[in-house]
Amino acid sequence: QVQLVESGGGLVQTGGSLRLSCAASGRTFSSYAMGWFRQAPGKEREFVAAITWNGGVTDYAKSVKGRFTISRDNAKSWVFLQMNGLKPEDTAVYYCAAARSLVVPTKMDRYDYWGHGTQVTVSS
């Protein structure tokens, strides 16, 4: 079992940066692919970024590619999402998720564990 706790959200102006962190508990963390999803008010939860168990492969939604970077530290059981060039449309609750997968899943139903989310608000 893996427990996930996100942090690092907040209020930022357009063009600003935030770094989200996800702390994972569980001795098998390094065997999971990890992903970030987000959900804006009135919208469905959507894929943002994912990374394989060893950090060798990453994938991004088109809307964030070139602005966001996902990374992980298996020694300390952390996953990060560096967000640069933030836009108002990035405003959402951001969720960390873990998947028993050797690839980088982009679908919600491929993920086995979820955090409770952290709010990111980008003002115009």
Side-chain angles (χ1 to χ4, degrees):
Q1 183 136 1
V2 177
Q3 293 185 327
L4 305 170
V5 179
E6 302 95 336
S7 60
L11 174 63
V12 64
Q13 291 185 334
T14 297
S17 298
L18 281 175
R19 188 194 196 203
L20 304 184
S21 300
C22 175
S25 64
R27 284 180 282 183
T28 59
F29 168 77
S30 61
S31 64
Y32 286 82
M34 299 297 297
W36 286 95
F37 287 75
R38 67 186 182 187
Q39 187 166 17
K43 295 188 177 182
E44 293 186 350
R45 195 171 298 188
E46 64 176 5
F47 170 76
V48 175
I51 189 168
T52 49
W53 66 275
N54 62 353
V57 178
T58 57
D59 195 10
Y60 298 91
K62 289 182 181 179
S63 59
V64 306
K65 201 166 188 178
R67 299 188 296 125
F68 290 11
T69 302
I70 187 171
S71 61
R72 66 188 295 161
D73 181 342
N74 283 347
K76 297 182 179 179
S77 299
W78 285 90
V79 180
F80 305 100
L81 185 68
Q82 178 66 44
M83 306 186 295
N84 299 327
L86 284 162
K87 306 174 182 179
E89 50 265 43
D90 294 319
T91 295
V93 176
Y94 283 71
Y95 298 89
C96 175
R100 295 188 197 92
S101 174
L102 295 178
V103 296
V104 281
T106 62
K107 304 296 184 185
M108 284 181 55
D109 60 8
R110 294 293 307 279
Y111 286 83
D112 303 287
Y113 302 102
W114 292 83
H116 293 293
T118 185
Q119 175 71 47
V120 171
T121 303
V122 184
S123 63
S124 56

